[in-house]
Amino acid sequence: MTGRLAILGLGPGSPDLQTPQVSRALEEATDLVGYETYLARIAERPGQRRHTSDNRAEFFRATYALELAAEGCRVAVVSSGDPGVFAMASAVFEALEAGPPAWRSLAIEVMPGVSAMFAAAAHAGAPLGHDFCAINLSDNLKPQAVIERRIRLAAEADFAIACYNPRSKARPDGLTAAFAIVREVCADDRPVLFARAVSTPEEHLRIVPLPEARAEMADMRTVVIIGSSQTRVIAGTRFLYTPRSAA
Ligand SMILES: C[S@@+](CC[C@H](N)C(=O)[O-])C[C@H]1O[C@@H](n2cnc3c(N)ncnc32)[C@H](O)[C@@H]1O
């Protein structure tokens, strides 16, 4: 098969945070496949086709991208941030596994991007400097009980926790439940970073102590980093960090 499939991450927003490898793959692609909000970030090129879809139609989008590559197209499947972090890379591999054996000989490459948690952490200092985990708070693809168990165990293990998809109109209460669990497990005032629209002109960073953290401080363009017991703000600066040694 002559088709190619690049599964790539655009980074969190700024073109400066998009890798040269990703820029090249976007230039070379005959077909772009992705959620329309992400495709809107890419400059139009004559002759390049765009296949947009709803953000929930991941498996459909992944299958379609593989079909196009099997027909000989050079396809780029686009995610924000990193394609392997709560994004399209897994969906493509699920579709590959379920699809015709011939798809397995396609040239497929995953191209990393700067994930929202890394851009947010960098702009605030270094809150992910020691052990941390990332949890997707959306209950679209897993039950709420699993999310809550993972939050509890992560807090008990004293990880810094990066929360993706923290809050939506359909799901206004998940983050409130997450904060309640962390407060129950850790009765201290560890800092919480709300990082909205990182690396875009609308970027807004806010750090509050855990007892003051409220779900209303986040939306779907926010990544929330709940510090570990060691995470702290350096007085007189805007910086938040977690030291590299454990307590
Ligand atoms: C479906 S996930 C995709 C994550 C993406 N693959 C990544 O690695 O950043 C979407 C979530 O990522 C976070 N996110 C993406 N871009 C962001 C940005 N520029 N600033 C803050 N959070 C962002 C938000 O939590 C949002 O709800």
Side-chain angles (χ1 to χ4, degrees):
M1 286 195 187
T2 54
R4 305 183 69 82
L5 183 57
I7 309 164
L8 53 84
L10 297 175
S14 166
D16 285 350
L17 296 185
Q18 181 175 301
T19 69
Q21 181 192 34
V22 163
S23 301
R24 269 196 310 277
L26 289 172
E27 272 166 30
E28 289 165 7
T30 56
D31 294 79
L32 304 182
V33 176
Y35 175 40
E36 54 196 353
T37 305
Y38 303 149
L39 291 189
R41 286 170 51 186
I42 302 167
E44 303 229 2
R45 292 183 177 83
Q48 193 174 58
R49 291 181 296 262
R50 292 173 172 237
H51 310 273
T52 60
S53 64
D54 180 77
N55 202 21
R56 290 181 175 226
E58 281 191 356
F59 188 78
F60 162 79
R61 204 187 299 150
T63 303
Y64 185 57
L66 284 158
E67 283 167 0
L68 287 173
E71 287 167 14
C73 302
R74 289 191 305 280
V75 183
V77 176
V78 172
S79 292
S80 76
D82 182 272
V85 178
F86 310 130
M88 283 304 294
S90 296
V92 172
F93 288 120
E94 273 184 68
L96 179 69
E97 206 174 14
W103 284 0
R104 298 182 185 206
S105 55
L106 284 168
I108 299 176
E109 192 174 0
V110 183
M111 301 181 179
V114 177
S115 191
M117 64 182 163
F118 297 128
H123 289 194
L128 305 180
H130 199 55
D131 297 341
F132 70 91
C133 65
I135 300 183
N136 186 342
L137 297 195
S138 168
D139 61 2
N140 282 345
L141 300 170
K142 65 188 168 196
Q144 181 63 22
V146 170
I147 299 171
E148 294 187 8
R149 179 162 186 269
R150 289 186 180 161
I151 293 274
R152 182 175 299 281
L153 294 173
E156 280 174 8
D158 202 16
F159 286 115
I161 308 169
C163 300
Y164 282 75
N165 290 304
R167 188 163 182 263
S168 69
K169 286 195 184 101
R171 207 169 22 81
D173 301 326
L175 187 58
T176 302
F179 286 145
I181 292 165
V182 181
R183 284 189 196 107
E184 205 182 297
V185 175
C186 337
D188 55 30
D189 63 355
R190 62 189 56 194
V192 179
L193 168 68
F194 292 85
R196 180 171 195 278
V198 177
S199 87
T200 77
E202 295 87 48
E203 174 169 317
H204 180 69
L205 303 186
R206 177 177 188 177
I207 300 168
V208 300
L210 178 58
E212 290 172 26
R214 298 284 171 268
E216 299 71 47
M217 295 172 183
D219 63 9
M220 282 304 277
R221 294 186 74 194
T222 308
V223 64
V224 179
I225 298 180
I226 305 172
S228 75
S229 64
Q230 302 304 303
T231 307
R232 49 198 185 246
V233 175
I234 303 178
T237 76
R238 61 180 179 83
F239 294 122
L240 167 80
Y241 84 109
T242 308
R244 295 207 51 209
S245 52

